[in-house]
């Protein structure tokens, strides 16, 4: 997949700008807080329908403006596409692709795939389980829109169930017919989600281990840790676990079992990376994970995603930087950095960003 151009109007600190990307490595550079990440965020928006970092979509509209408008021209292996994204300051958003409105934002992922890698991704290793679940959910949704649909349905039912559990606890009750109804639906969606997660972890695990071994000579293993453990993942087994735990859940006043408690464990040389790995080892593990995600998208979709690398080059040592440079050859990459010296020798386009303005071209350095 190739992103050809991005136009932004009243987006973040940009008033009106257009950027034409090269098909290879693009470098966006400039001082801190000038708007570099904002541009990656804009591209990401077109693949996920939401920002990778904003709490609310209204943050994305330029201060004091009513709406933002972004246009992305891109192409996959079969066709050229043009997407327009409107964001209102009240949080409403609308998207059109080739002039056809997209009713479900999750559909965007069918058109454009991106993999973003930023320093905060270290939290995938170091952070709480929810960070790892977010990584899994976004990565899987990107390939299978039905996964996102199932996840949304699951969480809707879970919220209803939690409300009921709270009420039962307050009322000192031990059972309610509605609880079985929610559990039934939760087991239905939950077992599907578990299967997707298991298969995805299996798939990227193969790539990640090999990549990691190439970079560091170390052994990296990924392990999906479902909160509902069973010999075989299916609705019946999931439901059986929920029913077994029903009394405890009522006593607790909220859900104790389900995919909202899953985790993903990473092991380096058989030791859990979150606990034992050094900062450098953890960083390498995330790099392997992201590269694996990229390979897996290529394997599934038959083409590589656009890679968005936010400020990560300066954090990698020479050999890892070389490895990455080698790995991204022939793919489209958009990199941000503060120091252009740090950058890959293969870059073909440079864009300097200064308080929401883009100054293009090597010559204008
Ligand atoms: N909605 C907004 N309207 C105007 N400016 C914004 C908005 N959101 C963020 N900014 C500004 O964008 C800048 C940060 O941009 P960012 O792309 O994160 O910087 P960097 O170049 O360091 O990656 C900050 O100056 C911030 O004040
Ligand atoms: Mg930044």
């Amino acid at each position: 997949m190739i992103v050809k151009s991005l136009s932004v109007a009243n987006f973040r600190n940009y008033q009106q700008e257009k950027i034409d990307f090269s098909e290879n490595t693009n470098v966006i550079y400039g001082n801190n807080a000038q708007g570099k990440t904002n541009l990656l965020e804009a591209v990401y928006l077109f693949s996920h329908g939401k920002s990778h970092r904003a709490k609310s979509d209204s943050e994305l509209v330029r201060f004091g403006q009513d709406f933002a408008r972004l246009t992305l021209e891109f192409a996959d292996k079969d066709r050229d596409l043009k997407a327009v994204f409107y964001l209102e300051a009240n949080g409403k958003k609308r998207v059109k692709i080739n002039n056809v409105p997209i009713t479900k934002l999750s559909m965007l992922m069918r058109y454009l795939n991106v993999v973003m890698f930023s320093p905060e991704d270290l939290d995938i290793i170091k952070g709480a389980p929810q960070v790892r679940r977010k990584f899994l959910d976004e990565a899987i949704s990107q390939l299978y829109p039905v996964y996102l649909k199932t996840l949304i349905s699951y969480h809707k039912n879970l919220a209803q169930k939690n409300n009921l559990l709270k009420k039962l606890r307050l009322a000192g009750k031990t059972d309610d017919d509605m609880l079985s109804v929610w559990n039934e639906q939760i087991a239905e969606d939950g077992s599907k989600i578990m299967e997707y997660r298991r298969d995805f972890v299996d798939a990227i695990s193969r790539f990640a281990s090999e990549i990691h071994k190439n970079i560091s000579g170390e052994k990296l293993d990924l392990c999906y840790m479902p909160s509902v453990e069973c010999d075989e993942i299916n609705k019946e087994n999931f439901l059986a676990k929920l029913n077994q735990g029903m009394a405890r859940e009522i006593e607790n006043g909220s859900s104790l079992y389900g995919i909202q408690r899953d985790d993903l464990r990473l092991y380096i040389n058989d030791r859990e990376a979150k606990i034992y790995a050094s900062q450098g080892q953890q960083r390498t593990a995330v790099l392997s994970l992201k590269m694996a995600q990229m390979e897996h998208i290529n394997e599934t979709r038959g083409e590589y995603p656009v890679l968005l690398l936010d400020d990560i080059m300066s954090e990698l040592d020479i050999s890892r930087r070389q490895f990455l440079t080698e790995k991204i050859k022939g793919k489209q990459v958009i990199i941000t950095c503060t120091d252009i010296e740090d950058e890959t020798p293969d870059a073909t386009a440079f864009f300097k960003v200064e308080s929401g303005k883009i100054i293009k071209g090597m010559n204008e350095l």
Side-chain angles (χ1 to χ4, degrees), residues 253-291:
S254 78
S255 295
L256 295 170
Y257 316 95
I259 57 112
Q260 73 280 9
R261 295 196 169 216
D262 284 359
D263 203 353
L264 167 70
R265 281 212 191 127
L266 289 96
Y267 297 88
I268 297 175
N269 289 342
D270 298 321
R271 293 197 189 280
E272 198 179 344
K274 182 182 167 116
I275 305 170
Y276 296 105
S278 71
Q279 181 101 344
Q281 281 176 309
Q282 293 183 342
R283 205 171 275 143
T284 308
V286 189
L287 177 62
S288 305
L289 208 57
K290 293 283 167 163
M291 293 300 110

Side-chain angles (χ1 to χ4, degrees), residues 189-256:
D189 291 334
S191 53
K192 284 186 197 143
I193 291 166
M194 275 173 78
E195 282 186 315
Y196 271 107
R197 287 181 178 176
R198 179 202 57 198
D199 293 348
F200 177 78
V201 173
D202 280 354
I204 61 162
S205 186
R206 282 183 279 113
F207 288 117
S209 301
E210 194 190 320
I211 291 167
H212 195 81
K213 194 154 180 251
N214 283 336
I215 314 180
S216 65
E218 293 182 323
K219 179 164 161 289
L220 176 71
D221 292 298
L222 309 184
C223 188
Y224 171 46
M225 308 290 292
S227 115
V228 177
E229 287 175 54
C230 42
D231 298 337
E232 196 190 333
I233 300 174
N234 58 38
K235 181 183 169 184
E236 288 67 38
N237 287 340
F238 198 115
L239 191 58
K241 292 279 172 188
L242 291 181
N243 287 336
Q244 273 167 27
M246 206 188 264
R248 272 198 66 204
E249 289 195 321
I250 294 174
E251 203 179 289
N252 189 60
S254 78
S255 295
L256 295 170

Side-chain angles (χ1 to χ4, degrees), residues 29-95:
Y29 67 101
N31 291 335
N32 285 326
Q34 300 304 306
K36 302 182 297 296
T37 304
N38 291 346
L39 292 175
L40 297 190
E41 183 177 40
V43 175
Y44 185 96
L45 203 58
F46 282 94
S47 79
H48 286 75
K50 60 175 187 185
S51 156
H52 69 293
R53 59 175 177 174
K55 289 241 154 41
S56 122
D57 292 321
S58 50
E59 277 173 47
L60 306 176
V61 179
R62 190 173 151 88
F63 300 143
Q65 299 297 318
D66 295 330
F67 67 91
R69 183 175 196 271
L70 302 95
T71 308
L72 191 79
E73 291 178 306
F74 60 106
D76 62 21
K77 59 183 189 308
D78 303 319
R79 58 196 163 159
D80 283 337
L81 293 146
K82 183 175 171 178
V84 184
F85 210 117
Y86 300 92
L87 280 160
E88 289 180 32
N90 62 15
K92 275 197 194 136
K93 44 191 173 185
R94 277 180 296 137
V95 189

Side-chain angles (χ1 to χ4, degrees), residues 95-156:
V95 189
K96 282 184 182 171
I97 293 188
N98 288 352
N99 258 326
V100 180
I102 301 290
T103 46
K104 284 219 158 47
L105 286 174
S106 59
M107 289 307 190
L108 280 174
M109 293 158 189
R110 291 203 174 167
Y111 296 93
L112 179 68
N113 291 139
V114 307
V115 169
M116 166 96 86
F117 182 15
S118 60
E120 296 86 66
D121 285 324
L122 204 53
D123 282 345
I124 296 175
I125 314 276
K126 292 200 320 188
Q130 78 188 69
V131 184
R132 286 178 287 283
R133 287 196 296 271
K134 184 167 176 252
F135 164 71
L136 291 178
D137 290 342
E138 289 187 359
I140 304 171
S141 302
Q142 175 150 212
L143 289 169
Y144 307 103
V146 63
Y147 176 85
L148 183 60
K149 219 173 121 192
T150 313
L151 196 65
I152 292 168
S153 156
Y154 180 95
H155 280 286
K156 231 187 232 166

